[in-house]
Amino acid sequence: MNDEFMNLAFECAEKAFELNEVPIGAVIVKNNMIISYAYNQKESNHSSLYHAELIAIHEASKKMNNWRLDDCDLYVTLDPCPMCASAIKQSRIHNVYSALSNSDLTNDSIIRKIFESDSTNPGVLFKTNLCMERSKKLLNTFFKKQRNK
Amino acid sequence: MNDEFMNLAFECAEKAFELNEVPIGAVIVKNNMIISYAYNQKESNHSSLYHAELIAIHEASKKMNNWRLDDCDLYVTLDPCPMCASAIKQSRIHNVYSALSNSDLTNDSIIRKIFESDSTNPGVLFKTNLCMERSKKLLNTFFKKQRNK
């Protein structure tokens, strides 16, 4: 894991926080170059598809003019949901570095199954809980603020 | 299942076929009104995100100005992948009518797990193999054409 890229993912998450979106950020890198970065925009775009990871994949595909994001890695501040995990796998992203495991065990087992290799597609290497405290603190502060509204 | 909507999903899939995309189509309806319809555009848009179901969800959310597609149903010509299944679930789509089961059993068990209800989100009612022959024929003709290129 590269601290600089995880730090940028957190800066994206903090931007989401300011805009009253669940604070999650994602960064895609290739050969130590930043390809794209994004924050969760589900509420402002009125669409379940505007998760940080999906926006980052969309931008990266546009930039590379290719749906195959070969040799790309993704940094994210919370484990992806199954939608994003499957998009990551289908985009051929190689490594996923996540700051915090999603405590929902069903989700956890689904995303591990999605990331496994199959006959047509190499697996995704997935590491999680790499910056637990920072991610937990950001999410807890956000949900506390929402409850007090 | 309503034949008219499944038929429109197939017309979308045939449009994809003409454009050399894997022929899959999707339609979203609410109270018997068509909200959106789309065909797979992965290759032409160079992005893994341009599956028929995701485009249809994107258009429906824009139209309804809401990520909650309450009381909406989705018609699709092939079982969704995990990315689309999770997007369907998160968009609160209620019924999914699929023409053909995906023969990949791992995928099948993942999407059934995704569709199950959880504490925060009602489950998706999923019916498949509703127009098997038409979907199989379209897909087989497409892949045969691709192999002979």
Side-chain angles (χ1 to χ4, degrees):
Chain A
M1 189 193 74
N2 178 307
D3 288 342
E4 183 201 340
F5 303 139
M6 187 58 92
N7 205 37
L8 177 56
F10 274 106
E11 284 175 22
C12 292
E14 285 153 9
K15 178 79 182 161
F17 186 107
E18 283 170 30
L19 299 169
N20 283 319
E21 298 275 3
V22 177
I24 302 174
V27 175
I28 294 178
V29 300
K30 180 173 177 159
N31 302 328
N32 281 321
M33 299 271 286
I34 294 164
I35 305 289
S36 65
Y37 52 93
Y39 57 90
N40 172 42
Q41 298 172 40
K42 177 177 169 178
E43 296 297 338
S44 44
N45 278 295
H46 310 291
S47 169
S48 296
L49 308 181
Y50 281 76
H51 286 194
E53 301 95 313
L54 247 60
I55 303 169
I57 289 172
H58 181 67
E59 293 298 322
S61 299
K62 264 206 305 196
K63 213 163 182 174
M64 296 172 67
N65 207 29
N66 201 333
W67 61 260
R68 285 179 195 81
L69 304 181
D70 286 331
D71 303 317
C72 284
D73 298 334
L74 183 134
Y75 287 76
V76 65
T77 60
L78 181 70
D79 283 2
C81 74
M83 171 179 77
C84 294
S86 179
I88 288 164
K89 173 85 177 290
Q90 293 185 64
S91 305
R92 311 288 169 91
I93 285 171
H94 190 50
N95 290 287
V96 171
Y97 302 104
S98 170
L100 182 64
S101 171
N102 195 321
S103 58
D104 177 342
L105 288 176
T106 315
N107 183 60
D108 185 62
S109 78
I110 291 175
I111 70 168
R112 287 191 183 271
K113 208 164 243 171
I114 289 170
F115 281 160
E116 280 170 12
S117 60
D118 59 43
S119 54
T120 57
N121 194 328
V124 176
L125 300 175
F126 176 48
K127 288 192 182 130
T128 187
N129 283 334
L130 298 171
C131 287
M132 290 170 70
E133 292 314 316
R134 188 170 177 187
S135 185
K136 260 189 208 169
K137 194 177 163 190
L138 189 61
L139 287 161
N140 288 344
T141 311
F142 176 78
F143 287 114
K144 200 172 159 186
K145 193 180 91 176
Q146 295 298 105
R147 280 193 302 270
N148 291 339
K149 262 186 181 172
Chain B
M1 189 194 75
N2 178 308
D3 288 343
E4 182 202 341
F5 303 139
M6 187 58 93
N7 204 39
L8 177 56
F10 274 106
E11 284 174 21
C12 292
E14 284 153 9
K15 177 82 183 159
F17 186 107
E18 283 169 28
L19 299 169
N20 283 318
E21 299 274 2
V22 177
I24 302 173
V27 174
I28 295 178
V29 299
K30 181 173 176 158
N31 302 330
N32 281 322
M33 298 271 287
I34 295 164
I35 305 289
S36 64
Y37 52 93
Y39 56 90
N40 171 43
Q41 299 172 38
K42 177 177 169 178
E43 297 297 337
S44 44
N45 278 296
H46 310 291
S47 168
S48 297
L49 309 182
Y50 281 76
H51 286 194
E53 300 94 314
L54 248 60
I55 302 169
I57 289 172
H58 180 68
E59 293 299 321
S61 300
K62 266 206 303 197
K63 213 162 183 175
M64 296 172 66
N65 208 28
N66 199 333
W67 61 260
R68 284 179 195 83
L69 304 181
D70 286 330
D71 304 316
C72 284
D73 298 334
L74 183 134
Y75 287 75
V76 65
T77 59
L78 180 69
D79 281 3
C81 74
M83 172 179 76
C84 295
S86 179
I88 288 164
K89 173 86 178 288
Q90 293 184 65
S91 304
R92 311 286 169 91
I93 285 172
H94 190 50
N95 291 287
V96 171
Y97 302 104
S98 170
L100 181 64
S101 171
N102 195 321
S103 58
D104 177 341
L105 288 176
T106 317
N107 183 62
D108 185 62
S109 78
I110 290 174
I111 69 168
R112 287 193 183 269
K113 210 164 237 165
I114 289 169
F115 281 159
E116 278 169 14
S117 59
D118 59 43
S119 55
T120 57
N121 194 328
V124 176
L125 299 176
F126 176 48
K127 287 193 183 129
T128 187
N129 283 333
L130 298 171
C131 287
M132 291 171 69
E133 293 314 317
R134 187 170 179 187
S135 186
K136 259 189 206 169
K137 194 177 162 190
L138 189 61
L139 287 161
N140 288 344
T141 310
F142 176 79
F143 287 115
K144 200 173 158 187
K145 191 180 94 177
Q146 294 300 104
R147 280 194 302 272
N148 290 339
K149 261 184 180 172

Coordinates of all heavy atoms in Angstrom, one line a residue, chain B residues 24-99:
Chain B
I24 N -28.0 -8.0 -24.9 CA -28.7 -8.0 -23.7 C -29.5 -6.7 -23.6 O -28.9 -5.6 -23.9 CB -27.8 -8.2 -22.4 CG1 -27.0 -9.5 -22.6 CG2 -28.6 -8.2 -21.1 CD1 -26.0 -9.6 -21.5
G25 N -30.8 -6.8 -23.2 CA -31.6 -5.6 -23.1 C -32.3 -5.6 -21.8 O -32.6 -6.6 -21.1
A26 N -32.7 -4.4 -21.3 CA -33.4 -4.2 -20.0 C -34.4 -3.1 -20.1 O -34.2 -2.1 -20.8 CB -32.4 -3.9 -18.9
V27 N -35.5 -3.3 -19.3 CA -36.6 -2.3 -19.3 C -37.0 -2.1 -17.9 O -37.1 -3.1 -17.1 CB -37.8 -2.8 -20.1 CG1 -39.0 -1.9 -20.0 CG2 -37.4 -3.0 -21.6
I28 N -37.3 -0.9 -17.4 CA -37.8 -0.6 -16.1 C -39.2 0.0 -16.2 O -39.4 0.9 -17.1 CB -36.9 0.3 -15.3 CG1 -35.5 -0.3 -15.1 CG2 -37.5 0.8 -14.0 CD1 -34.5 0.5 -14.3
V29 N -40.1 -0.6 -15.5 CA -41.5 -0.2 -15.5 C -42.0 0.1 -14.1 O -41.5 -0.4 -13.1 CB -42.5 -1.2 -16.2 CG1 -42.1 -1.5 -17.6 CG2 -42.5 -2.5 -15.4
K30 N -43.0 1.0 -14.1 CA -43.7 1.3 -12.8 C -45.2 1.5 -13.1 O -45.5 2.2 -14.0 CB -43.1 2.6 -12.2 CG -43.7 3.0 -10.9 CD -43.0 4.2 -10.3 CE -43.7 4.6 -9.0 NZ -42.9 5.4 -8.1
N31 N -46.0 0.8 -12.3 CA -47.4 0.8 -12.6 C -47.8 0.7 -14.0 O -48.6 1.5 -14.6 CB -48.0 2.1 -12.0 CG -47.7 2.3 -10.5 OD1 -47.6 1.4 -9.8 ND2 -47.5 3.6 -10.1
N32 N -47.2 -0.3 -14.7 CA -47.4 -0.6 -16.1 C -47.0 0.5 -17.1 O -47.5 0.5 -18.2 CB -48.9 -1.0 -16.3 CG -49.2 -2.4 -15.9 OD1 -48.3 -3.3 -16.1 ND2 -50.3 -2.7 -15.3
M33 N -46.2 1.5 -16.6 CA -45.7 2.5 -17.5 C -44.2 2.3 -17.7 O -43.5 2.0 -16.7 CB -45.9 3.9 -16.8 CG -47.3 4.3 -16.6 SD -48.0 5.2 -18.0 CE -47.1 6.7 -17.8
I34 N -43.7 2.4 -18.9 CA -42.3 2.2 -19.1 C -41.5 3.5 -18.7 O -41.9 4.6 -19.1 CB -42.0 2.0 -20.7 CG1 -42.7 0.7 -21.1 CG2 -40.6 2.0 -21.0 CD1 -42.8 0.5 -22.6
I35 N -40.6 3.3 -17.8 CA -39.8 4.4 -17.3 C -38.5 4.5 -18.1 O -38.0 5.6 -18.4 CB -39.4 4.1 -15.8 CG1 -40.7 3.9 -14.9 CG2 -38.6 5.3 -15.2 CD1 -41.6 5.1 -14.7
S36 N -37.8 3.4 -18.4 CA -36.6 3.5 -19.1 C -36.3 2.2 -19.8 O -36.8 1.1 -19.4 CB -35.4 3.9 -18.2 OG -35.2 2.9 -17.3
Y37 N -35.5 2.2 -20.8 CA -35.0 0.9 -21.5 C -33.7 1.2 -22.1 O -33.3 2.3 -22.4 CB -36.0 0.4 -22.5 CG -36.4 1.4 -23.6 CD1 -35.8 1.5 -24.8 CD2 -37.5 2.3 -23.3 CE1 -36.1 2.4 -25.7 CE2 -37.9 3.2 -24.3 CZ -37.2 3.3 -25.5 OH -37.5 4.2 -26.4
A38 N -32.9 0.1 -22.1 CA -31.5 0.2 -22.6 C -30.9 -1.1 -23.1 O -31.5 -2.1 -22.8 CB -30.7 0.7 -21.4
Y39 N -29.9 -1.0 -23.8 CA -29.2 -2.2 -24.3 C -27.7 -2.1 -23.9 O -27.2 -1.0 -23.7 CB -29.3 -2.4 -25.8 CG -28.8 -1.2 -26.6 CD1 -27.5 -1.1 -27.1 CD2 -29.7 -0.1 -27.0 CE1 -27.1 0.0 -27.8 CE2 -29.3 0.9 -27.7 CZ -28.0 1.0 -28.1 OH -27.5 2.1 -28.8
N40 N -27.1 -3.2 -23.8 CA -25.7 -3.3 -23.4 C -24.8 -2.5 -24.4 O -24.9 -2.6 -25.6 CB -25.2 -4.8 -23.5 CG -23.8 -5.0 -23.3 OD1 -23.1 -4.3 -22.5 ND2 -23.2 -5.9 -24.1
Q41 N -23.9 -1.6 -23.8 CA -23.1 -0.7 -24.6 C -21.6 -0.8 -24.1 O -20.9 0.3 -24.2 CB -23.6 0.7 -24.6 CG -25.0 0.8 -25.1 CD -25.6 2.2 -24.9 OE1 -24.9 3.2 -25.0 NE2 -26.8 2.3 -24.6
K42 N -21.2 -1.9 -23.6 CA -19.9 -2.0 -22.9 C -18.8 -1.6 -23.9 O -17.9 -0.9 -23.6 CB -19.7 -3.4 -22.4 CG -18.4 -3.7 -21.8 CD -18.3 -5.1 -21.2 CE -16.8 -5.4 -20.9 NZ -16.7 -6.7 -20.2
E43 N -18.8 -2.2 -25.1 CA -17.7 -2.0 -26.1 C -17.7 -0.6 -26.6 O -16.7 0.0 -26.7 CB -17.8 -3.1 -27.2 CG -17.6 -4.5 -26.8 CD -16.2 -4.8 -26.2 OE1 -15.3 -4.1 -26.4 OE2 -16.2 -5.8 -25.4
S44 N -18.9 -0.1 -27.0 CA -18.9 1.2 -27.7 C -18.6 2.3 -26.7 O -18.0 3.3 -27.1 CB -20.2 1.4 -28.4 OG -21.3 1.0 -27.6
N45 N -18.8 2.1 -25.4 CA -18.5 3.1 -24.4 C -17.2 2.8 -23.7 O -16.8 3.5 -22.8 CB -19.6 3.3 -23.4 CG -20.7 4.2 -23.9 OD1 -20.5 5.4 -24.2 ND2 -21.9 3.6 -24.2
H46 N -16.5 1.7 -24.0 CA -15.2 1.4 -23.4 C -15.3 1.4 -21.9 O -14.5 1.9 -21.2 CB -14.1 2.3 -23.8 CG -14.0 2.5 -25.3 ND1 -13.6 1.5 -26.2 CD2 -14.3 3.6 -26.1 CE1 -13.6 2.0 -27.4 NE2 -14.1 3.3 -27.4
S47 N -16.4 0.8 -21.4 CA -16.6 0.8 -19.9 C -17.4 -0.4 -19.5 O -18.5 -0.7 -20.0 CB -17.2 2.1 -19.5 OG -17.6 2.0 -18.1
S48 N -16.9 -1.1 -18.4 CA -17.6 -2.2 -17.9 C -18.9 -1.8 -17.2 O -19.7 -2.7 -16.8 CB -16.7 -2.9 -16.8 OG -15.6 -3.4 -17.3
L49 N -19.1 -0.5 -17.0 CA -20.3 -0.1 -16.3 C -21.6 0.0 -17.3 O -22.7 0.1 -16.8 CB -20.1 1.3 -15.7 CG -18.8 1.4 -14.8 CD1 -18.8 2.8 -14.2 CD2 -18.8 0.3 -13.7
Y50 N -21.3 -0.1 -18.6 CA -22.4 0.2 -19.5 C -23.2 -1.1 -19.8 O -23.5 -1.4 -21.0 CB -21.9 0.9 -20.8 CG -21.7 2.3 -20.6 CD1 -20.6 2.8 -19.9 CD2 -22.7 3.3 -21.0 CE1 -20.4 4.2 -19.6 CE2 -22.5 4.6 -20.8 CZ -21.4 5.1 -20.1 OH -21.2 6.4 -19.9
H51 N -23.6 -1.9 -18.8 CA -24.5 -3.0 -18.9 C -25.9 -2.4 -19.1 O -26.2 -1.3 -18.6 CB -24.5 -3.9 -17.7 CG -23.2 -4.7 -17.6 ND1 -23.1 -5.8 -16.8 CD2 -22.1 -4.7 -18.3 CE1 -21.9 -6.4 -17.0 NE2 -21.3 -5.7 -17.9
A52 N -26.8 -3.1 -19.8 CA -28.1 -2.7 -20.0 C -28.9 -2.3 -18.7 O -29.5 -1.2 -18.7 CB -28.9 -3.8 -20.7
E53 N -28.7 -3.1 -17.7 CA -29.5 -2.8 -16.5 C -29.0 -1.5 -15.8 O -29.8 -0.8 -15.3 CB -29.2 -4.0 -15.4 CG -29.7 -5.3 -15.9 CD -28.5 -6.1 -16.6 OE1 -27.8 -5.6 -17.4 OE2 -28.4 -7.3 -16.2
L54 N -27.6 -1.3 -15.8 CA -27.1 -0.1 -15.2 C -27.5 1.2 -15.9 O -27.9 2.2 -15.3 CB -25.6 -0.2 -15.1 CG -25.0 -0.3 -13.6 CD1 -25.5 -1.5 -13.0 CD2 -23.5 -0.2 -13.6
I55 N -27.5 1.1 -17.2 CA -28.0 2.3 -18.0 C -29.5 2.5 -17.8 O -29.9 3.7 -17.6 CB -27.7 2.0 -19.5 CG1 -26.3 1.8 -19.8 CG2 -28.2 3.3 -20.3 CD1 -26.0 1.3 -21.2
A56 N -30.3 1.5 -17.7 CA -31.7 1.6 -17.4 C -31.9 2.2 -16.1 O -32.8 3.1 -15.9 CB -32.4 0.3 -17.6
I57 N -31.2 1.8 -15.1 CA -31.3 2.3 -13.7 C -30.9 3.8 -13.7 O -31.6 4.6 -13.1 CB -30.5 1.5 -12.7 CG1 -31.1 0.1 -12.5 CG2 -30.3 2.2 -11.4 CD1 -30.2 -0.9 -11.7
H58 N -29.8 4.1 -14.4 CA -29.3 5.5 -14.4 C -30.4 6.4 -15.0 O -30.7 7.5 -14.5 CB -28.1 5.5 -15.3 CG -27.5 6.9 -15.5 ND1 -26.9 7.6 -14.4 CD2 -27.4 7.7 -16.5 CE1 -26.4 8.7 -14.8 NE2 -26.7 8.8 -16.1
E59 N -31.0 6.0 -16.1 CA -32.0 6.8 -16.8 C -33.3 6.9 -15.9 O -33.9 8.0 -15.8 CB -32.4 6.1 -18.1 CG -31.3 6.1 -19.2 CD -30.9 7.5 -19.6 OE1 -31.8 8.4 -19.7 OE2 -29.7 7.8 -19.8
A60 N -33.7 5.8 -15.3 CA -34.8 5.8 -14.4 C -34.6 6.8 -13.2 O -35.6 7.5 -12.8 CB -35.2 4.4 -13.9
S61 N -33.4 6.7 -12.6 CA -33.2 7.6 -11.5 C -33.2 9.1 -11.9 O -33.7 9.9 -11.2 CB -31.8 7.3 -10.9 OG -31.7 6.0 -10.4
K62 N -32.7 9.3 -13.1 CA -32.7 10.7 -13.6 C -34.1 11.2 -13.8 O -34.5 12.3 -13.4 CB -32.0 10.8 -15.0 CG -30.5 11.2 -14.9 CD -30.0 11.9 -16.1 CE -30.1 11.0 -17.4 NZ -29.3 11.4 -18.5
K63 N -34.9 10.3 -14.4 CA -36.3 10.6 -14.7 C -37.1 10.9 -13.5 O -37.9 11.8 -13.4 CB -36.9 9.5 -15.5 CG -37.9 9.9 -16.5 CD -38.1 8.8 -17.5 CE -39.1 9.1 -18.6 NZ -39.1 8.0 -19.6
M64 N -36.9 10.0 -12.5 CA -37.7 10.1 -11.2 C -37.0 11.0 -10.2 O -37.6 11.3 -9.1 CB -37.9 8.7 -10.6 CG -38.7 7.8 -11.6 SD -38.8 6.1 -11.0 CE -39.8 6.3 -9.5
N65 N -35.8 11.5 -10.6 CA -35.1 12.4 -9.7 C -34.9 11.8 -8.3 O -35.0 12.5 -7.3 CB -35.7 13.8 -9.6 CG -34.7 14.9 -9.3 OD1 -33.6 14.8 -9.6 ND2 -35.2 15.9 -8.6
N66 N -34.7 10.5 -8.2 CA -34.6 9.8 -6.9 C -33.9 8.5 -7.1 O -34.0 7.8 -8.1 CB -36.1 9.5 -6.5 CG -36.2 9.2 -5.1 OD1 -35.3 8.7 -4.4 ND2 -37.4 9.4 -4.5
W67 N -33.0 8.2 -6.2 CA -32.3 6.9 -6.3 C -33.2 5.7 -5.8 O -32.9 4.6 -6.2 CB -31.0 6.9 -5.5 CG -31.1 7.1 -4.0 CD1 -30.8 8.3 -3.4 CD2 -31.4 6.1 -3.0 NE1 -31.0 8.1 -2.0 CE2 -31.3 6.8 -1.8 CE3 -31.7 4.8 -3.0 CZ2 -31.5 6.2 -0.5 CZ3 -32.0 4.1 -1.8 CH2 -31.9 4.8 -0.6
R68 N -34.3 6.1 -5.2 CA -35.2 5.0 -4.8 C -36.2 4.8 -5.9 O -37.1 5.6 -6.2 CB -36.0 5.4 -3.5 CG -35.3 5.4 -2.2 CD -36.1 5.9 -1.1 NE -35.4 6.2 0.1 CZ -34.7 7.3 0.3 NH1 -34.8 8.3 -0.6 NH2 -34.0 7.5 1.4
L69 N -36.1 3.6 -6.6 CA -37.0 3.3 -7.7 C -38.1 2.4 -7.1 O -38.3 1.3 -7.5 CB -36.2 2.6 -8.8 CG -35.0 3.4 -9.4 CD1 -34.4 2.6 -10.5 CD2 -35.5 4.8 -9.9
D70 N -38.8 2.9 -6.1 CA -39.8 2.2 -5.4 C -40.9 1.8 -6.4 O -41.3 2.5 -7.3 CB -40.5 3.1 -4.3 CG -39.6 3.2 -3.1 OD1 -38.8 2.3 -2.8 OD2 -39.6 4.3 -2.5
D71 N -41.4 0.5 -6.2 CA -42.5 0.0 -7.0 C -42.1 -0.2 -8.4 O -43.0 -0.3 -9.3 CB -43.8 0.9 -6.9 CG -44.2 1.1 -5.4 OD1 -44.2 0.1 -4.7 OD2 -44.5 2.2 -5.1
C72 N -40.9 -0.2 -8.7 CA -40.4 -0.4 -10.1 C -40.1 -1.9 -10.3 O -39.6 -2.6 -9.4 CB -39.2 0.4 -10.5 SG -39.6 2.2 -10.8
D73 N -40.3 -2.4 -11.5 CA -39.9 -3.7 -11.9 C -38.9 -3.7 -13.0 O -38.9 -2.7 -13.8 CB -41.1 -4.6 -12.3 CG -42.1 -4.7 -11.2 OD1 -41.7 -4.7 -10.0 OD2 -43.3 -4.9 -11.5
L74 N -38.1 -4.7 -13.1 CA -37.1 -4.7 -14.2 C -37.2 -6.0 -15.0 O -37.4 -7.1 -14.5 CB -35.7 -4.6 -13.6 CG -34.5 -4.5 -14.7 CD1 -33.5 -3.4 -14.3 CD2 -33.8 -5.9 -14.8
Y75 N -37.3 -5.8 -16.4 CA -37.3 -6.9 -17.3 C -35.9 -7.0 -18.0 O -35.4 -6.0 -18.4 CB -38.3 -6.7 -18.4 CG -39.8 -6.9 -17.9 CD1 -40.3 -5.9 -17.1 CD2 -40.5 -8.0 -18.2 CE1 -41.6 -6.1 -16.6 CE2 -41.8 -8.2 -17.7 CZ -42.3 -7.2 -16.9 OH -43.6 -7.4 -16.4
V76 N -35.3 -8.2 -18.0 CA -34.0 -8.3 -18.6 C -33.9 -9.6 -19.4 O -34.5 -10.6 -19.0 CB -32.9 -8.2 -17.5 CG1 -33.0 -9.3 -16.5 CG2 -31.5 -8.0 -18.1
T77 N -33.1 -9.6 -20.5 CA -33.1 -10.8 -21.4 C -32.1 -11.9 -20.9 O -32.0 -13.0 -21.5 CB -32.8 -10.4 -22.8 OG1 -31.5 -9.7 -22.8 CG2 -33.8 -9.5 -23.4
L78 N -31.3 -11.6 -19.9 CA -30.4 -12.6 -19.3 C -30.2 -12.2 -17.8 O -30.1 -11.0 -17.5 CB -29.0 -12.6 -20.0 CG -27.9 -13.5 -19.5 CD1 -28.3 -15.0 -19.8 CD2 -26.6 -13.2 -20.1
D79 N -30.0 -13.2 -16.9 CA -29.8 -12.9 -15.5 C -28.7 -11.8 -15.3 O -27.7 -11.9 -16.0 CB -29.4 -14.1 -14.8 CG -30.5 -15.1 -14.5 OD1 -31.6 -14.8 -14.9 OD2 -30.2 -16.1 -13.8
P80 N -28.9 -10.9 -14.4 CA -27.9 -9.9 -14.2 C -26.6 -10.4 -13.6 O -26.6 -11.5 -12.9 CB -28.6 -8.9 -13.1 CG -29.7 -9.7 -12.5 CD -30.1 -10.7 -13.6
C81 N -25.5 -9.7 -13.8 CA -24.2 -10.1 -13.2 C -24.3 -9.5 -11.7 O -25.3 -8.8 -11.4 CB -23.1 -9.4 -13.9 SG -23.0 -7.6 -13.7
P82 N -23.4 -9.8 -10.8 CA -23.5 -9.3 -9.5 C -23.5 -7.8 -9.4 O -24.2 -7.2 -8.5 CB -22.2 -9.9 -8.8 CG -21.9 -11.2 -9.6 CD -22.3 -10.9 -11.0
M83 N -22.7 -7.1 -10.3 CA -22.7 -5.6 -10.3 C -24.2 -5.1 -10.5 O -24.7 -4.3 -9.7 CB -21.8 -5.1 -11.4 CG -21.9 -3.6 -11.6 SD -20.8 -3.0 -12.9 CE -21.7 -3.5 -14.4
C84 N -24.8 -5.6 -11.5 CA -26.2 -5.2 -11.8 C -27.2 -5.6 -10.7 O -28.1 -4.9 -10.4 CB -26.6 -5.6 -13.2 SG -25.6 -4.9 -14.5
A85 N -27.0 -6.9 -10.2 CA -27.9 -7.4 -9.2 C -27.9 -6.5 -8.0 O -28.9 -6.1 -7.4 CB -27.5 -8.8 -8.8
S86 N -26.6 -6.1 -7.6 CA -26.5 -5.2 -6.4 C -27.1 -3.8 -6.7 O -27.7 -3.2 -5.8 CB -25.0 -5.2 -6.0 OG -24.8 -4.3 -4.9
A87 N -26.9 -3.3 -7.9 CA -27.5 -2.0 -8.2 C -29.0 -2.1 -8.2 O -29.7 -1.1 -7.7 CB -27.0 -1.6 -9.6
I88 N -29.5 -3.2 -8.7 CA -31.0 -3.4 -8.6 C -31.5 -3.4 -7.2 O -32.5 -2.7 -6.9 CB -31.3 -4.7 -9.3 CG1 -31.2 -4.6 -10.8 CG2 -32.7 -5.2 -9.0 CD1 -31.1 -6.0 -11.6
K89 N -30.8 -4.1 -6.3 CA -31.2 -4.2 -4.9 C -31.1 -2.8 -4.3 O -32.0 -2.4 -3.6 CB -30.2 -5.2 -4.2 CG -30.4 -5.3 -2.7 CD -31.5 -6.2 -2.3 CE -31.6 -6.4 -0.8 NZ -30.5 -7.1 -0.2
Q90 N -30.0 -2.1 -4.5 CA -29.8 -0.8 -3.8 C -30.7 0.2 -4.4 O -31.0 1.2 -3.7 CB -28.3 -0.4 -4.0 CG -27.4 -1.2 -3.2 CD -25.9 -0.8 -3.3 OE1 -25.6 0.3 -2.8 NE2 -25.1 -1.5 -3.9
S91 N -31.3 0.0 -5.6 CA -32.2 1.0 -6.1 C -33.6 0.7 -5.7 O -34.6 1.4 -6.1 CB -32.2 0.9 -7.7 OG -30.9 1.2 -8.2
R92 N -33.8 -0.4 -4.9 CA -35.1 -0.8 -4.3 C -36.1 -1.3 -5.4 O -37.3 -1.2 -5.2 CB -35.7 0.4 -3.5 CG -34.8 1.0 -2.5 CD -34.6 0.2 -1.3 NE -33.5 0.6 -0.5 CZ -33.7 1.5 0.5 NH1 -34.9 1.9 0.9 NH2 -32.6 1.9 1.3
I93 N -35.6 -1.7 -6.5 CA -36.4 -2.4 -7.5 C -37.1 -3.6 -6.9 O -36.4 -4.3 -6.2 CB -35.6 -2.7 -8.8 CG1 -35.4 -1.4 -9.6 CG2 -36.3 -3.7 -9.7 CD1 -34.4 -1.5 -10.7
H94 N -38.4 -3.8 -7.2 CA -39.1 -4.8 -6.4 C -39.1 -6.2 -7.1 O -38.8 -7.2 -6.5 CB -40.5 -4.3 -6.3 CG -41.3 -5.2 -5.3 ND1 -40.8 -5.5 -4.1 CD2 -42.5 -5.8 -5.4 CE1 -41.7 -6.3 -3.4 NE2 -42.7 -6.5 -4.2
N95 N -39.4 -6.3 -8.4 CA -39.5 -7.5 -9.1 C -38.5 -7.5 -10.3 O -38.4 -6.5 -11.0 CB -40.9 -7.7 -9.8 CG -41.9 -8.0 -8.7 OD1 -42.0 -9.1 -8.1 ND2 -42.8 -7.0 -8.5
V96 N -37.8 -8.6 -10.4 CA -36.9 -8.8 -11.6 C -37.4 -10.0 -12.4 O -37.6 -11.1 -11.9 CB -35.5 -9.0 -11.2 CG1 -34.6 -9.4 -12.4 CG2 -34.9 -7.7 -10.6
Y97 N -37.7 -9.8 -13.7 CA -38.2 -10.8 -14.6 C -37.1 -11.0 -15.6 O -36.8 -10.1 -16.4 CB -39.5 -10.4 -15.3 CG -40.6 -10.1 -14.3 CD1 -41.0 -8.8 -14.1 CD2 -41.3 -11.2 -13.7 CE1 -42.0 -8.5 -13.2 CE2 -42.3 -10.9 -12.8 CZ -42.7 -9.6 -12.6 OH -43.7 -9.3 -11.7
S98 N -36.4 -12.2 -15.6 CA -35.3 -12.5 -16.5 C -35.7 -13.6 -17.5 O -36.4 -14.6 -17.2 CB -34.1 -12.9 -15.7 OG -33.1 -13.4 -16.5
A99 N -35.3 -13.4 -18.7 CA -35.6 -14.4 -19.8 C -34.8 -15.6 -19.7 O -35.3 -16.7 -20.0 CB -35.4 -13.7 -21.2

